Amino acid sequence: MKTENEERAGLLYGIGAYGMWGLVPLFWPLLKPAGSVEILAHRMVWSLVFVGIALLAVRRWGWVRELVRSPRKLGMITVAAAVITVNWGLYIWSVNTGHVVEASLGYFINPLVTIALGVLVLQERLRPAQWAAVGIGFAAVLVLAIGYGQPPWISLTLAFSFALYGLVKKKVNIGGLESLAAETAVQFLPALAYLVWLGGQGTLAFGSHGAGHTALLTATGIVTAVPLVCFGAAAIRVPLSTLGLLQYLAPTFQFLLGVLYFHEEMPPERWAGFSLVWLALTILTWDALRTARRSRAAMETAKAAAEAATEPAGPAEDEGAAGPAGAAAPSPAPARQAL
């Protein structure tokens, strides 16, 4: 049983993780004049350095042997690395070119895309409320596509790439730090080669704009890994339903930053599309909470019934029913009432 203090700590870790992910649009513009691809390359290189140091500190290396012996898992890690490269690169570019609101939409619709992938890839069956949420989400994309004059490609690419990344990670099933270490190990050499090439061309921003800028580029590893560590700490302390609610903090913060801080435009059709997405997420969240509550009640009832079935029979209190030896005859034990 998790203590109240553990759950409180888990909630704080979760808020910290999603809060940092939500505020990260404030960080990427600080790295200019480095281009988006150079920032992405630094993120890959320094993330591996930071995660490697963290793994050395906690002495968790046993997973490496198991991973190397499994070509299937290695292949999946490579796919995960490729998919998250697209996600990271597009997100950095979106923030640094004034598309924060559209990027936030990608993470708002990500749960809907994840559900759709579950149906298409894993053959999962949806409840009626989930079908309704997916349908409303599809209508939102249509509204936004009509408003933009084209589909919201940034949002859709971010949503599908992150949903696919989650699907692959589910199949690989290794810890957060370990997974990030493996993925950035795959990314490391191409990223380092690109930075060396930029240096040969004389266009490398690293080290060319002062010690502060260099330190910020190095900090991309910390910015990547710290929220993931907090998320891992939250995941083992709070229920999945709580994490499901906390995940909306990140795109909410991103949306508010896009509108209030970066002053991006919000024409009526964009408000209409976002409103439909929020409606879909409200339905999805309500259905998830209702299902979780019913599942807990069913488990408690089953547990109580199992305990009642295994409870030993007690001695009878009817002295007139004594057997030949003068002992009281046993009577059936009463069933324990489920509270």
Side-chain angles (χ1 to χ4, degrees):
M1 290 291 292
K2 296 182 178 67
T3 66
E4 186 177 342
N5 287 337
E6 282 181 321
E7 290 196 358
R8 188 182 296 115
L11 186 62
L12 292 175
Y13 277 124
I15 292 172
Y18 285 108
M20 284 184 277
W21 281 325
L23 296 176
V24 78
L26 296 173
F27 178 72
W28 303 123
L30 300 177
L31 305 183
K32 294 178 179 179
S36 298
V37 181
E38 182 182 346
I39 295 171
L40 173 63
H42 280 292
R43 186 177 190 180
M44 296 171 178
V45 169
W46 296 111
S47 290
L48 180 61
V49 172
F50 182 83
V51 174
I53 293 172
L55 288 173
L56 279 174
V58 298
R59 299 181 179 179
R60 292 212 310 251
W61 294 103
W63 58 275
V64 176
R65 187 180 299 106
E66 180 185 348
L67 185 61
V68 170
R69 290 175 178 174
S70 175
R72 180 175 173 274
K73 281 192 174 183
L74 278 174
M76 286 187 172
I77 284 290
T78 303
V79 172
V83 173
I84 203 61
T85 295
V86 173
N87 185 274
W88 284 358
L90 181 59
Y91 186 79
I92 293 168
W93 177 86
S94 301
V95 170
N96 284 357
T97 55
H99 297 280
V100 176
V101 169
E102 193 172 350
S104 75
L105 176 63
Y107 293 102
F108 272 125
I109 66 176
N110 173 252
L112 302 172
V113 174
T114 299
I115 289 174
L117 281 180
V119 174
L120 296 174
V121 178
L122 303 179
Q123 305 297 311
E124 294 178 353
R125 298 180 63 181
L126 300 188
R127 296 182 293 273
Q130 292 176 311
W131 277 116
V134 171
I136 293 171
F138 182 73
V141 172
L142 288 179
V143 168
L144 291 166
I146 293 170
Y148 288 147
Q150 62 178 6
W153 292 117
I154 293 174
S155 306
L156 292 173
T157 304
L158 288 173
F160 274 92
S161 61
F162 200 70
L164 184 59
Y165 176 69
L167 180 65
V168 175
K169 292 259 285 188
K170 182 180 171 106
K171 296 286 188 182
V172 175
N173 193 29
I174 62 175
L177 269 179
E178 293 88 343
S179 178
L180 183 62
E183 291 154 20
T184 50
V186 172
Q187 297 168 330
F188 181 80
L189 288 179
L192 184 63
Y194 178 75
L195 293 175
V196 170
W197 179 79
L198 285 180
Q201 298 293 311
T203 56
L204 183 69
F206 186 78
S208 303
H209 301 279
H213 184 260
T214 300
L216 286 173
L217 285 170
T218 304
T220 53
I222 298 175
V223 169
T224 300
V226 170
L228 185 66
V229 173
C230 290
F231 174 79
I236 62 174
R237 289 175 172 85
V238 299
L240 191 60
S241 57
T242 303
L243 280 180
L245 291 174
L246 290 177
Q247 73 175 323
Y248 300 130
L249 284 177
T252 298
F253 287 165
Q254 293 165 13
F255 173 80
L256 292 174
L257 283 175
V259 174
L260 301 178
Y261 182 80
F262 293 105
H263 304 293
E264 295 184 16
E265 292 185 3
M266 283 294 293
E269 59 273 14
R270 182 174 275 190
W271 278 115
F274 268 85
S275 297
L276 286 172
V277 169
W278 293 331
L279 174 60
L281 294 177
T282 300
I283 294 172
L284 197 63
T285 302
W286 167 79
D287 178 69
L289 292 175
R290 182 186 62 168
T291 303
R293 188 163 52 247
R294 287 179 175 176
S295 297
R296 282 196 300 270
M299 288 177 64
E300 289 172 2
T301 302
K303 181 179 178 182
E307 289 176 352
T310 57
E311 183 174 311
E317 297 180 358
D318 186 359
E319 295 180 357
S331 62
R336 180 173 298 178
Q337 183 178 355
L339 300 178

